[in-house]
Amino acid sequence: MKTMSFAKFLIKPAGFLVVLILLDHLVGAGFRKMYFSQRVGQFSQTTYAIDSSRQDIMIYGSSRAVRHYSPSIISKIVGLSCYDSGRDGLMIPYSTAMEEISLTRHTPKLIILDISPRELGIDQSKYDKLSILLPYCSKHPEFIKYIREISPFEPYKLLSQTYPFNSSLFILATNALFAKTVKKDDNGYLPLEGKMTKPEVDDYNFRMNRRYLKIKKRKDIPEDKGLWYLKTFLNNSAKRNIKTLVVISPTVLKNPFYLDNQTVEKELIVKLTHQYPNVTFLDYSSDPHFNFHPEKFSDVFHLNKWGSEEFSNSVAQYIKAKLADKI
């Protein structure tokens, strides 16, 4: 009698659990279909970069990669196809993940990595943002080691079919409801409009110098793990003997990294890139064509459309003159 009562006691929660699992699978399947049906926007760009990109030149990096490199201009000058797989707010761990998965199916002739010294600083957000890879883990288990950077429990959460899309719901809904308003990218490139003014640059310069007076005695503390990801990125290209450009793209202030106490991180980038014969380091942060030229910047971090076209032309001319016969 007691056994029967206990069995009845278990039936209800067990049934509830089954319903939850079925609901999770059903809703998750709907989210998955919606996600991978995107034809414009950051999710479609990421999907294309992971599963379909086979261009001769592949560009990696964060928002400065997305906004600064025009594949159309580079392709026209160099004569090679080009794709920009950079993504807003995502740094060297993401670039390394994207490079790894891309190289499993395609070997480009040239890789461009846009990087900033701050990517080697201590900043947990660069790992938390790897959640963008969650929807791809079922098809590409290679990404699981990257999402463990978010938390050691992250792989177990993938047992849920809805969890990989939780952070994507707002953008998915926006893209679905306002698809016609989402700006179409040009092979991953999304330039910014607008121009800074001289007073805005002067104010930014003043604030950075004032901030530097407060932090200049603080010791630079590069992150070993961030450096490890950069090494892994460069090792991946070196193993395949792929010519690689590591670029610090233009900044509105001249070499602003000392003001942000990131000189050690920058020196590490320079030192590391010089260890690889297939790698060339290009630093545009002290280029007078861009420093203190507000008309070429949309904000304090990013070139605008006109500045990015000028920069893309400069990079393309360098590739044509220095690397064309080697790739």
Side-chain angles (χ1 to χ4, degrees):
M1 194 73 174
K2 289 183 177 180
T3 303
M4 290 181 63
S5 297
F6 183 68
K8 289 181 179 179
F9 175 76
L10 291 177
I11 286 175
K12 285 187 178 180
F16 181 68
L17 182 61
V18 169
V19 171
L20 281 180
I21 293 173
L22 289 174
L23 187 62
D24 175 74
H25 277 67
L26 182 63
V27 174
F31 286 160
R32 181 170 294 276
K33 183 175 181 180
M34 186 187 300
Y35 185 100
F36 288 102
S37 296
Q38 301 284 299
R39 293 293 176 264
V40 292
Q42 60 178 304
F43 299 146
S44 67
Q45 292 169 254
T46 300
T47 300
Y48 178 84
I50 289 172
D51 291 326
S52 304
S53 59
R54 290 182 173 273
Q55 281 79 357
D56 299 317
I57 301 173
M58 291 296 298
I59 300 169
Y60 299 92
S62 61
S63 60
R64 282 162 57 82
V66 181
R67 312 299 182 178
H68 289 186
Y69 298 81
S70 168
S72 295
I73 291 175
I74 293 172
S75 292
K76 183 177 180 180
I77 294 173
V78 180
L80 296 172
S81 58
C82 180
Y83 188 77
D84 189 334
S85 65
R87 204 56 73 240
D88 287 346
L90 291 154
M91 303 188 212
I92 188 60
Y94 176 80
S95 298
T96 303
M98 295 298 286
E99 181 202 40
E100 177 184 340
I101 200 68
S102 177
L103 292 179
T104 60
R105 57 177 174 72
H106 171 60
T107 301
K109 295 180 178 180
L110 175 68
I111 284 175
I112 299 174
L113 172 65
D114 186 278
I115 194 168
S116 172
R118 69 181 295 263
E119 298 186 43
L120 300 187
I122 297 174
D123 183 359
Q124 178 59 31
S125 70
K126 65 173 175 268
Y127 302 110
D128 293 339
K129 291 175 181 178
L130 290 172
S131 59
I132 195 173
L133 299 176
L134 288 169
Y136 304 94
C137 287
S138 59
K139 183 178 178 181
H140 300 288
E142 301 95 325
F143 286 147
I144 291 178
K145 62 178 176 287
Y146 292 95
I147 67 165
R148 282 198 180 99
E149 297 285 14
I150 305 171
S151 89
F153 303 105
E154 213 67 14
Y156 302 105
K157 296 178 184 179
L158 290 173
L159 292 172
S160 166
Q161 299 302 301
T162 57
Y163 178 73
F165 306 97
N166 286 348
S167 61
S168 311
L169 297 182
F170 177 77
I171 297 176
L172 284 174
T174 302
N175 287 356
L177 294 173
F178 308 103
K180 293 183 180 179
T181 66
V182 180
K183 190 174 181 181
K184 181 72 176 69
D185 65 281
D186 173 13
N187 285 305
Y189 167 61
L190 281 167
L192 294 172
E193 305 292 336
K195 298 179 180 180
M196 292 187 73
T197 64
K198 185 179 184 300
E200 287 175 327
V201 173
D202 290 342
D203 177 66
Y204 177 54
N205 188 36
F206 172 77
R207 287 186 288 109
M208 288 293 288
N209 276 278
R210 185 172 60 180
R211 178 174 177 270
Y212 175 69
L213 294 177
K214 297 179 180 179
I215 67 171
K216 65 180 180 178
K217 293 182 179 180
R218 186 188 72 193
K219 291 184 178 180
D220 292 23
I221 307 176
E223 184 193 47
D224 290 340
K225 188 162 59 173
L227 184 61
W228 181 85
Y229 273 108
L230 176 56
K231 288 180 180 178
T232 301
F233 185 99
L234 298 178
N235 285 337
N236 288 341
S237 66
K239 288 175 184 176
R240 294 166 177 81
N241 198 31
I242 303 169
K243 288 296 179 183
T244 302
L245 291 180
V246 175
V247 185
I248 296 178
S249 51
T251 53
V252 70
L253 301 184
K254 183 177 180 179
N255 190 22
F257 308 113
Y258 74 95
L259 292 176
D260 214 16
N261 210 19
Q262 294 171 348
T263 53
V264 171
E265 289 89 338
K266 183 180 177 182
E267 288 168 2
L268 283 171
I269 293 172
V270 175
K271 181 179 179 180
L272 183 60
T273 53
H274 287 169
Q275 295 174 9
Y276 294 83
N278 65 307
V279 176
T280 300
F281 174 68
L282 298 178
D283 183 6
Y284 285 84
S285 66
S286 296
D287 190 328
H289 293 96
F290 298 97
N291 298 148
F292 296 100
H293 280 278
E295 74 281 3
K296 299 180 182 181
F297 286 81
S298 178
D299 56 48
V300 297
F301 299 112
H302 303 100
L303 293 166
N304 56 27
K305 183 176 185 293
W306 303 276
S308 65
E309 288 177 352
E310 179 181 340
F311 171 63
S312 296
N313 182 78
S314 178
V315 171
Q317 294 294 349
Y318 178 89
I319 295 170
K320 183 178 180 180
K322 303 292 185 179
L323 300 176
D325 59 339
K326 301 175 183 178
I327 57 178

